[in-house]
Amino acid sequence: MRLIIEVLLMGLAFFIGAKLVPGVEVTGFASALGAAVLIALANATIGFILRLLTFPINFLTLGLVSFIITVLMILLVDSMMTSFNTTGFFAAAFLAIIVALIKAIFSAVAGEKE
């Protein structure tokens, strides 16, 4: 049940982020939900492998490479979906920042279950 709620909140975060960030378009909540699921899957597979390969550089840059990998995963999903579009790297970077902030707010409001 918690997984379903987290997936729905992630979709809501992407929907809100797409409305706030200029250069990001999503056709509806279902498309935002699909994009959120695909980005999570891309981060869990391809992103994980890239993070393992770039660990020394990521360590030296204090996580900046990990952020860039997340932005690249957003751009990958953008190229796979027609209902989710970004205008470029900076729009995807702003979307990643906004979604991370919205997810942090959701986590603060919901609290951690012990």
Side-chain angles (χ1 to χ4, degrees):
M1 183 69 176
R2 185 165 172 86
L3 178 66
I4 294 171
I5 292 172
E6 287 187 22
V7 168
L8 289 174
L9 287 177
M10 183 73 168
L12 182 63
F14 266 91
F15 187 72
I16 293 170
K19 297 298 180 189
L20 293 176
V21 176
V24 178
E25 296 177 7
V26 67
T27 57
F29 181 71
S31 297
L33 188 62
V37 169
L38 284 176
I39 289 169
L41 288 173
N43 268 330
T45 55
I46 301 168
F48 177 73
I49 294 168
L50 288 174
R51 282 180 184 85
L52 280 178
L53 293 175
T54 60
F55 177 72
I57 299 170
N58 199 12
F59 182 73
L60 291 174
T61 61
L62 302 174
L64 181 64
V65 174
S66 182
F67 174 71
I68 291 172
I69 290 172
T70 302
V71 173
L72 292 175
M73 296 302 112
I74 291 173
L75 292 173
L76 176 69
V77 171
D78 171 33
S79 68
M80 292 172 25
M81 294 182 67
T82 57
S83 58
F84 172 69
N85 295 313
T86 60
T87 56
F89 183 83
F90 290 111
F94 289 137
L95 178 66
I97 292 169
I98 294 296
V99 168
L101 290 174
I102 292 171
K103 284 176 53 179
I105 292 170
F106 286 160
S107 295
V109 169
E112 289 296 321
K113 186 175 181 179
E114 295 181 15

